[in-house]
Every structure is written in C-alpha cells, then in structure tokens.
Amino acid sequence: MTRVEPESSSAFELLVVGLRFIFDLILLAVVLTVIGFFIFTDNLQRSQPEPRTADGIAVLTGGVARIDEAMKLLTQQKAKRLLITGVNRTTSTEELKQLASQGDQLFSCCVDIDKEARNTIDNATETSQWVARNHYNSVIVVTSNYHMPRALAELARVMPGVTLIPYSVVDNNVHLDRWWTYPGTTRLLISEYLKYLPALARLGATQLVSKLITGKTTVAVEDPSEP
C-alpha cells in the first residue's frame, strides 16, 4: 500500500523553510548594515581640504564652528554668496555675526539667511530654491564631517546637475579615531548613520525614477581629497 503523508506535515515543512528564509534575510540585512556602518565611519573626513571656487556656499546650521568656517570661505572669495540655512527664527543677524571670526561685514551684501528649514530635508529644499533663484551650477556645502554624507544625499536628491563640493567642519569633541572608546561619539555616529540610510534610499529611488524617465541620472559630488 502507498503511504500518504498528511497535508499538515507538508505545510509545516513549508512554514519552516519560509521562516528560515526570512531569518536569513534579516541576518544578511543586519550584517550588511554593520559593515556599512564601519564603511560610513571610515570615510568621514578627518581634515579640511582646500575647496575650489564655486558659485555659492551653503552652510547647514547645527554644529560647532560651521558658520565661522563658511564665512572664512566667503572672505577668501571661494564663492559669490553664502546661504545660512536652518537658522532659529529668534536668532538675529547680529547674533550670527558674533559666530564669525572674520567677514562679518559681508552679511549686508553677500549673505542670505533661511529661517524656514527645521531639518536636513528642509535644508536641502531651501538650498535648492536658493540655487535656482541665483542660477548657480556649483555649491560648496559646509557642515560637520559626521553630518556631511546625509547632507550630500539630501542635496543631491533635490539638485541633480548641481556640483556639490563638500567642506567638512571637524569637531574636536567628536573623536573619529578609536570612536568606539568614546560612548558619546559612538552614539552620535550610530544615530547619524541610521538617519543617513533613509536619505540614501531616497536618493537611490529618485535616481531610479530619473533613469526610467529620462534614461540618465545626474548627481555630481566632488571628492574633497582630489586637487
């Protein structure tokens, strides 16, 4: 006589195979995420290469010395105008001038202040509108080194075709060398990396849609280590 296996046994085996597949996918995602984090931290800029000249400078507020570094670049005539994006609505121009060690006289002629942006996505939106109004083709992006990857991803997403030149501000309180021995730095880097991943996904999705519609993608981000 031919023995017929119960249907419940077959269903159970399929369930086990499915759960194992899902577990393997989750494990792979975790491993790739961890590897990506180490690549992320290793690629953060530890120094400030001299940027080439550009049409404009955009500085994203939120970190120590960002505005001061951006004003120095403007004083050195690295660009025509400077946008300070993400300024608190209660902050006055005089208070911003106090953050600049040089070039405060340029506020009246060459500095634009955005008080609408509340996060990096808003920073990118306001910067893209500023770039469009001024018909700029290249922008020096000034922000903290740990924040730069996310800032570039959001800016590249909304400004295809505009050359982005990163100028990373190095915060001495953020210890990138042997970061794992500094709990505060470790928490900051993990938090920034987890915010960077969705930004990278949004950029990738935008590029994919652009590729499908136009047949090409245009994202220009210069390597600051190159002359």
Side-chain angles (χ1 to χ4, degrees), residues 57-150:
I57 302 169
V59 54
L60 285 64
T61 59
V64 177
R66 293 183 190 180
I67 293 177
D68 185 34
E69 292 293 338
M71 289 302 300
K72 289 177 182 178
L73 294 175
L74 186 64
T75 303
Q76 296 166 11
Q77 298 183 338
K78 291 294 182 179
K80 306 168 188 175
R81 296 190 68 82
L82 165 68
L83 170 68
I84 305 176
T85 173
V87 176
N88 190 290
R89 292 177 181 177
T90 63
T91 302
S92 66
T93 301
E94 290 303 317
E95 289 174 312
L96 291 175
K97 288 181 179 180
Q98 294 175 9
L99 300 176
S101 60
Q102 55 185 279
D104 59 339
Q105 72 280 3
L106 297 176
F107 270 82
S108 59
C109 71
C110 310
V111 176
D112 298 308
I113 299 172
D114 156 51
K115 295 187 176 183
E116 298 299 321
R118 290 293 172 267
N119 50 51
T120 305
I121 294 176
D122 291 347
N123 290 145
T125 300
E126 296 298 327
T127 301
S128 68
Q129 293 174 358
W130 178 75
V131 166
R133 285 196 302 270
N134 289 284
H135 307 288
Y136 289 162
N137 295 311
S138 58
V139 176
I140 299 173
V141 180
V142 181
T143 189
S144 299
N145 50 0
Y146 58 84
H147 182 239
M148 185 62 75
R150 180 158 61 104

Side-chain angles (χ1 to χ4, degrees), residues 172-193:
N172 292 329
N173 293 320
V174 179
H175 308 279
L176 294 182
D177 295 325
R178 297 181 60 84
W179 52 264
W180 55 90
T181 62
Y182 298 92
T185 296
T186 301
R187 287 193 296 270
L188 174 65
L189 294 179
I190 292 175
S191 173
E192 190 59 41
Y193 176 65

Side-chain angles (χ1 to χ4, degrees), residues 15-66:
L15 177 61
V16 170
V17 172
L19 290 175
R20 183 177 297 171
F21 178 71
I22 294 174
F23 175 79
D24 290 342
L25 284 181
I26 293 174
L27 182 60
L28 177 62
V30 170
V31 171
L32 292 177
T33 300
V34 172
I35 292 174
F37 175 68
F38 282 97
I39 295 174
F40 170 82
T41 56
D42 187 60
N43 287 337
L44 294 179
Q45 289 291 312
R46 268 70 169 174
S47 60
Q48 295 172 323
E50 187 72 13
R52 70 170 179 84
T53 57
D55 295 326
I57 302 169
V59 54
L60 285 64
T61 59
V64 177
R66 293 183 190 180

Side-chain angles (χ1 to χ4, degrees), residues 43 45 49-52 152 163-167 220-227:
N43 287 337
Q45 289 291 312
E50 187 72 13
R52 70 170 179 84
L152 291 178
T163 300
L164 305 177
I165 306 167
Y167 185 78
V221 177
E222 288 196 355
D223 185 347
S225 64
E226 294 181 356

